[in-house]
Structure formats: structure tokens, C-alpha cells
Amino acid sequence: MEATLELIGGKWKGIVLFYLLDGRLRFSELKRKIGCVTQRMLTKQLRELEASGLVNRIVYAEVPPRVEYELTTEGKSLEPVLMALKQWGESHAVALLKNRSQQEDHVA
């Protein structure tokens, strides 16, 4: 468990991996899909995922240069894990987060 979370833990890595399940994406497309992540943070997360062997970075020799990201075979092997997390979130996380928000409102 610890090793897995070391590779895919954090706020953005799972989301990046989830969006790359559909196939190769350019940096700007990935940033647009995620929304509120900063360019600096997305770059950092992609570099870590690439260093871990979960994401490939493809650079095209064009002007302007084009860079795309895709899952490696190891990255694709995470699909059942990512889909299970998505399913659990749809079933449980939304209600838990709503309850937490209501509790914080009562404290404030």
C-alpha cells in the first residue's frame, strides 16, 4: 500500500492518470480537463509520474514544439485501481465531503 501511494498519491497524480486512461493528451488539454491545477504543479506531477515509469512524455520536433503524455504499460495497469477509486467516490466520497462541509459550517 505504501509503495503504491508513494507512486500515485497526492492530490493530482490520480487525476492525471485517470484522464490519461482515454489516451494521449497534450499538456494544455490535460490542464484544461483538470481545471484548477497550476501549470507548475501539473508539470511537477507529470515529471514524477514519468520518473516512476507510469507516464511517457513524447516530444515532437516541430515549431512550436508539441509535447504529449500517455500512460506506459505500467500506468495502464492501474486502470482497475483508478476505476475502483472513481466508483467509490461516486458512492461514498460525495456524501462524506458534504457532511464534513456541513459540520465545518456549524463550527464556524
Side-chain angles (χ1 to χ4, degrees):
M1 183 71 176
E2 190 175 329
T4 303
L5 289 175
E6 177 67 29
L7 294 173
I8 67 167
K11 186 172 182 179
W12 303 110
K13 287 181 186 175
I15 296 168
V16 168
L17 292 167
F18 177 77
Y19 282 122
L20 289 175
L21 286 174
D22 290 334
R24 208 178 271 183
L25 289 172
R26 293 178 76 164
F27 182 89
S28 58
E29 293 171 320
L30 195 51
K31 185 172 182 332
R32 195 173 317 115
K33 283 181 178 275
I34 295 172
C36 56
V37 66
T38 65
Q39 184 169 333
R40 181 176 180 220
M41 181 54 71
L42 181 56
T43 299
K44 180 179 185 285
Q45 299 298 282
L46 284 165
R47 284 184 183 149
E48 290 177 12
L49 289 167
E50 185 182 6
S52 298
L54 298 173
V55 169
N56 278 330
R57 182 176 186 259
I58 303 139
V59 181
Y60 296 91
E62 300 174 352
V63 177
R66 179 169 50 115
V67 178
E68 293 180 338
Y69 296 89
E70 67 180 0
L71 295 177
T72 63
T73 302
E74 287 296 321
K76 289 176 186 170
S77 73
L78 285 164
E79 183 170 6
V81 175
L82 296 168
M83 296 312 289
L85 286 169
K86 179 181 184 287
Q87 224 171 10
W88 187 88
E90 291 170 349
S91 300
H92 303 282
V94 173
L96 291 170
L97 289 170
K98 185 177 178 184
N99 288 341
R100 184 175 78 181
S101 176
Q102 288 172 349
Q103 289 173 357
E104 289 171 356
D105 289 345
H106 285 103
V107 173

